[in-house]
Amino acid sequence: MSPLDPLPPGIVTPLVTFITEGGEPDADAMTRHVNYQIESGIHGLLAVGSTGELGSFTSDQRVRAIEIVVDAAAGRVPVWAGVAGLGTSETVEAARRAESAGADALLVLQPLFLAASDAELERHFTQVAAASSAPVIVYDVPARSPRKVPATVMASLGEQGVIRGFKDSSGDLTAGRLSAAATAHIDGFRSYIGSEITMDAAFVLGFQGIVPGFANVLPRHAVALFEAAQRGDRDAELAAQQAFIDLFEMLSVPLPDAGGFTAAVNAIKVATAEVLGLPTPLIGEPLVQPTAQFSRAIADIVAPLHASTPGEE
């Protein structure tokens, strides 16, 4: 684990996971991407989160992806690892393996197979935290888990020192703000929002960081937005945000037979490959692969934004 602050304020990019034709993590492509991100000034990296197709890989493949990101980052920025399981035992095992792979912090989901009560959620995160020395961040993403993690649970776990932060991906700014407010009094506690077109609202709402999938594509713009927010330059902040509003158009590009999540991850992955100069990337099975028409449409949206200077959109 690196000596850096494992929960930095600022931008933590939830990396896409490039894969080979055999479906294994592609070390060359992923290393190239990690270097691009760090050179662009981002503050942290997340391996195998939702954007990184956590659900598409075996346990061994997830560990390998984490190892690749940790090796490529080489202590320059902290690396988080997505951790999940059908129940607590499987989540504990995943947490231990992620820490052994070098993760600096663990972004942990609730049990995925059951709708746990508040008390059961607390027991779950407490047991995961006890199994690892890496700090635990609650990943609150009700679209992909049985329920929303209540602000009261966040506050209780934070006050006990079980968790060090949370990432709100509910898409509900009211709920996110209440969670941030409920934990604001906890020394060293960090709240993050998974945000794309409301990034500029994050710091007003009380968050310390953002974990935006679009930072895979435009990391310089994300960093410019954070820096503008820190110095109180609202005009520059809005200008940087506009690039992400414009990039949001790629989520409307049709991909026949694909579900919404598949199309979104494909869009981010294809766009990232475009800025890195990589071939059209594959996505994990059984998700629908990007078509040539889809990839061309994404490239047309991304090219002018990638070429622009942050703050001058």
Side-chain angles (χ1 to χ4, degrees):
M1 294 172 60
S2 78
L4 302 174
D5 180 355
L7 276 69
I11 307 299
V12 178
T13 303
L15 298 171
V16 297
T17 305
F18 290 111
I19 57 175
T20 66
E21 290 187 1
E24 298 298 321
D26 185 333
D28 290 342
M30 291 176 66
T31 297
R32 185 168 176 175
H33 186 27
V34 167
N35 287 330
Y36 168 60
Q37 290 288 315
I38 294 174
E39 290 164 5
S40 297
I42 57 85
H43 308 99
L45 298 168
L46 166 61
V48 289
S50 295
T51 306
E53 300 175 72
L54 174 68
S56 295
F57 303 116
T58 66
S59 177
D60 287 346
Q61 289 169 333
R62 291 178 200 140
V63 169
R64 179 59 186 141
I66 296 165
E67 290 173 341
I68 291 169
V69 174
V70 168
D71 288 346
R76 291 177 289 173
V77 298
V79 174
W80 299 359
V83 170
L86 292 179
T88 300
S89 296
E90 189 176 350
T91 309
V92 164
E93 179 184 7
R96 287 172 172 158
R97 296 197 70 188
E99 183 181 17
S100 294
D104 297 296
L106 308 176
L107 185 67
V108 180
L109 280 159
Q110 61 184 275
L112 297 179
F113 190 69
L114 54 97
S117 68
D118 289 6
E120 289 164 340
L121 286 176
E122 289 205 32
R123 285 173 58 82
H124 170 75
F125 288 109
T126 297
Q127 290 179 29
V128 174
S132 169
S133 61
V136 167
I137 308 159
V138 171
Y139 186 13
D140 188 20
V141 54
R144 287 174 180 67
S145 49
R147 59 175 298 208
K148 178 99 176 57
V149 179
T152 52
V153 171
M154 303 280 200
S156 176
L157 290 169
E159 289 166 353
Q160 296 174 60
V162 172
I163 65 172
R164 289 275 307 281
F166 71 90
K167 178 198 172 190
D168 181 274
S169 292
S170 67
D172 183 338
L173 293 182
T174 297
R177 183 169 202 165
L178 290 173
S179 292
T183 54
H185 66 286
I186 304 170
D187 187 41
F189 194 92
R190 295 278 164 77
S191 56
Y192 299 84
I193 190 167
S195 176
E196 313 291 354
I197 60 172
T198 58
M199 293 172 66
D200 58 322
F203 308 107
V204 175
L205 295 174
F207 293 90
Q208 290 83 48
I210 313 173
V211 189
F214 285 6
N216 280 279
V217 187
L218 300 177
R220 293 181 299 128
H221 295 73
V223 171
L225 186 149
F226 172 71
E227 292 177 347
Q230 296 307 294
R231 64 176 184 268
D233 187 342
R234 183 59 176 161
D235 289 340
E237 190 180 3
L238 287 171
Q241 175 66 77
Q242 186 61 48
F244 292 94
I245 295 172
D246 294 341
L247 187 61
F248 200 77
E249 181 186 352
M250 72 180 180
L251 299 188
S252 299
V253 175
L255 181 60
D257 298 325
F261 174 78
T262 303
V265 173
N266 262 312
I268 296 172
K269 207 167 187 177
V270 168
T272 303
E274 175 70 17
V275 302
L276 293 174
L278 295 171
T280 299
L282 299 172
I283 197 168
E285 293 293 339
L287 306 183
V288 173
Q289 300 299 324
T291 64
Q293 182 178 2
F294 177 86
S295 297
R296 284 195 299 271
I298 296 296
D300 288 343
I301 294 169
V302 169
L305 295 170
H306 179 240
S308 67
T309 300
E312 294 184 359
E313 285 70 29

